[in-house]
C-alpha cells in the first residue's frame, strides 16, 4: 500500500483572501481549489458500504479521514451532502494516495480520492460551493455532521 504524507494547508485557506488562497493552492501543486470542511461521506467499494468524515473537499476530489483507508487505485462510489445544500451529490472516484497518521504533526490517517465521474449538474453545484467558500470574508468552516 502506498503511503504519502502531506502538510496541511487547510486552516490558512479558511482565513485567506482569494489571492492568498490561490497562492497557497499553487504552492500546494493542486489543479483544483479545496475547502477545509467536515462532512459525512458514504462510500462503497468492492461491495463494502462504509462511512467516514471528509477533512477537505474540492472540485477534483476529497480527503476522507479513516483509520482503514482503501488501497491505492481502489474505485469508490461516494455520496455526500454539502453543508449549505440539501442536495445529495454522488460521484465515482479513485483512491490516488493513502496517508498514515502522524500524531506529532497532527496528521490524520486517510485517503485522497480523485473524482472521475460526476454529472455536469453536480459538478456545477460543487464548484459553486467551493467558490462561495473561497470568497474573501468567508471565514466560517462549513460542517455537516448529519449528512
Amino acid at each position: 500500500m502506498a503511503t504519502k504524507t502531506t502538510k496541511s494547508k487547510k486552516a490558512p485557506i479558511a482565513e485567506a483572501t482569494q489571492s492568498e488562497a490561490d497562492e497557497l493552492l499553487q504552492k500546494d501543486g493542486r489543479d483544483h481549489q479545496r475547502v477545509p470542511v467536515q462532512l459525512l461521506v458514504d462510500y462503497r467499494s468492492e461491495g463494502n458500504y462504509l462511512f467516514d468524515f471528509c477533512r477537505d473537499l474540492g472540485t477534483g476530489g476529497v480527503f476522507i479521514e479513516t483509520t482503514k483507508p482503501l488501497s491505492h487505485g481502489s474505485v469508490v462510489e461516494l455520496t455526500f451532502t454539502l453543508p449549505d445544500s440539501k442536495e445529495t451529490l454522488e460521484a465515482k472516484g479513485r483512491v490516488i494516495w493513502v496517508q498514515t497518521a502522524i500524531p506529532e504533526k497532527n496528521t490524520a490517517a486517510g485517503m485522497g480520492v480523485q473524482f472521475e465521474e460526476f454529472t455536469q449538474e453536480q459538478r456545477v453545484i460543487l464548484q459553486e460551493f467551493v467558490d462561495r467558500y473561497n470568497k474573501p470574508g468567508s471565514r466560517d468552516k462549513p460542517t455537516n455532521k448529519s449528512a
Side-chain angles (χ1 to χ4, degrees):
M1 181 179 336
T3 302
K4 177 181 177 186
T5 303
T6 60
K7 293 181 181 176
S8 175
K9 293 202 179 347
K10 297 168 191 67
I13 292 175
E15 298 181 9
T17 65
Q18 184 64 48
S19 61
E20 290 169 335
D22 289 343
E23 183 179 326
L24 285 169
L25 290 163
Q26 288 171 354
K27 286 180 184 175
D28 193 23
R30 296 187 190 275
D31 292 332
H32 304 278
Q33 294 179 346
R34 289 185 120 15
V35 173
V37 61
Q38 184 175 11
L39 57 90
L40 190 63
V41 177
D42 296 330
Y43 56 103
R44 184 174 72 178
S45 180
E46 299 176 4
N48 296 310
Y49 290 88
L50 308 158
F51 61 92
D52 284 297
F53 283 99
C54 145
R55 288 284 292 266
D56 69 35
L57 173 68
T59 56
V62 62
F63 176 75
I64 299 173
E65 186 174 329
T66 178
T67 57
K68 297 180 181 177
L70 301 172
S71 60
H72 184 269
S74 296
V75 175
V76 296
E77 296 176 29
L78 306 151
T79 304
F80 56 93
T81 303
L82 297 174
D84 62 353
S85 170
K86 294 187 192 263
E87 178 125 15
T88 299
L89 302 182
E90 296 179 358
K92 286 188 181 178
R94 183 175 304 274
V95 176
I96 60 169
W97 59 274
V98 175
Q99 174 175 282
T100 57
I102 305 173
E104 60 274 10
K105 292 188 177 183
N106 198 27
T107 302
M111 58 188 172
V113 177
Q114 183 176 40
F115 297 138
E116 292 185 341
E117 292 180 32
F118 236 145
T119 66
Q120 183 60 33
E121 179 185 349
Q122 291 188 338
R123 190 170 295 280
V124 168
I125 291 168
L126 181 57
Q127 181 66 58
E128 288 172 350
F129 168 75
V130 170
D131 290 347
R132 274 192 310 275
Y133 183 78
N134 283 322
K135 275 186 188 175
S138 176
R139 301 175 85 73
D140 295 329
K141 182 177 178 181
T143 61
N144 187 357
K145 296 182 181 180
S146 61

